[in-house]
C-alpha cells in the first residue's frame, strides 16, 4: 500500500454530493446543504493491489454498495467544508485500518506459577465464604 497515492486517489476519484442536514443549526439547517455524501469506486483506488482490494471488499462490506462503491455520510458539523474534510479523513482511516493484516494469535498455556496463584485465590475465597456460614452452638 502506498499511503500518498491512496490519499491522492481518494481526493481525486471521489464524488461528493451535498444535502440538507438535521441537527444543530436552527433555521440555517433548512437553508444550507452541509451534509456530505461521499462515494468512491473501489476499482478507482490507487496505491492498492488487487489482493488488498479484495480484503477491502471483505472488511468494509457494510459501506460498499452493489455498484462496488464505498459510501460515507458526514453531518457532524454545521459547515460544509469541515464535513468534507472529516469525510475524506474518515474514509482514508477506514481504508488504512481495513488493509492492516493482524498477526495470528499464538496459543499459550498458563504457567505453573499462574495456576498456583489461581488456586491460592480460590482457597482464600472459599475460606471467606465458609466463615459466612451460620454458627451452630453446641451445648
Amino acid at each position: 500500500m502506498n499511503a500518498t497515492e491512496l490519499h491522492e486517489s481518494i481526493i481525486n476519484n471521489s464524488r461528493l454530493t451535498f444535502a440538507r442536514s438535521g441537527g444543530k443549526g436552527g433555521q440555517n439547517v433548512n437553508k444550507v446543504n452541509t451534509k456530505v455524501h461521499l462515494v468512491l469506486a473501489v476499482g478507482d483506488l490507487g496505491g492498492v493491489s488487487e489482493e488488498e482490494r479484495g480484503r477491502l471488499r471483505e472488511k468494509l462490506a457494510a459501506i460498499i454498495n452493489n455498484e462496488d462503491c464505498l459510501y460515507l455520510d458526514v453531518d457532524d458539523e454545521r459547515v460544509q467544508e469541515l464535513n468534507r474534510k472529516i469525510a475524506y479523513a474518515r474514509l482514508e482511516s477506514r481504508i488504512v485500518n481495513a488493509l492492516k493484516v493482524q498477526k495470528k494469535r499464538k496459543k499459550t498455556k498458563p504457567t505453573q506459577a499462574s495456576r498456583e496463584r489461581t488456586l491460592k485465590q480460590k482457597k482464600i475465597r472459599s475460606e471467606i465464604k465458609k466463615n459466612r456460614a451460620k454458627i451452630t452452638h453446641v451445648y
Side-chain angles (χ1 to χ4, degrees):
M1 177 187 77
N2 184 347
T4 54
E5 194 176 332
L6 176 68
H7 179 76
E8 290 298 320
S9 71
I10 288 172
I11 292 173
N12 295 332
N13 298 324
S14 59
R15 293 186 311 269
L16 296 173
T17 54
F18 306 98
R20 293 193 176 125
S21 151
K24 301 181 288 186
Q27 292 178 346
N28 197 45
V29 170
N30 302 325
K31 298 186 291 185
V32 182
N33 293 331
T34 57
K35 181 177 184 177
V36 174
H37 182 74
L38 186 143
V39 179
L40 175 66
V42 175
D44 292 345
L45 275 175
V48 179
S49 68
E50 280 304 315
E51 178 187 326
E52 290 173 326
R53 279 183 224 281
R55 202 173 324 133
L56 266 179
R57 288 182 180 105
E58 183 182 314
K59 289 193 176 183
L60 296 179
I63 63 169
I64 295 179
N65 62 11
N66 295 338
E67 290 96 40
D68 198 34
C69 293
L70 290 157
Y71 64 91
L72 191 66
D73 287 331
V74 177
D75 60 352
D76 297 354
E77 300 294 330
R78 295 184 189 185
V79 183
Q80 186 187 95
E81 187 59 34
L82 286 175
N83 284 334
R84 189 181 314 184
K85 288 178 183 176
I86 291 169
Y88 283 134
R90 196 172 288 171
L91 183 65
E92 187 173 354
S93 70
R94 281 191 174 183
I95 290 171
V96 169
N97 287 335
L99 292 177
K100 287 181 184 172
V101 180
Q102 289 187 340
K103 293 180 183 177
K104 287 263 185 177
R105 181 183 176 271
K106 294 180 183 176
K107 293 182 181 178
T108 59
K109 294 181 179 178
T111 62
Q112 182 67 31
S114 69
R115 284 193 295 251
E116 288 173 4
R117 277 193 304 271
T118 303
L119 286 174
K120 184 178 175 184
Q121 288 172 349
K122 282 184 170 187
K123 285 180 183 173
I124 290 170
R125 190 77 184 143
S126 171
E127 285 299 317
I128 289 171
K129 289 188 174 192
K130 276 183 192 173
N131 291 337
R132 287 186 195 152
K134 288 185 180 180
I135 300 171
T136 54
H137 295 292
V138 179
Y139 293 104

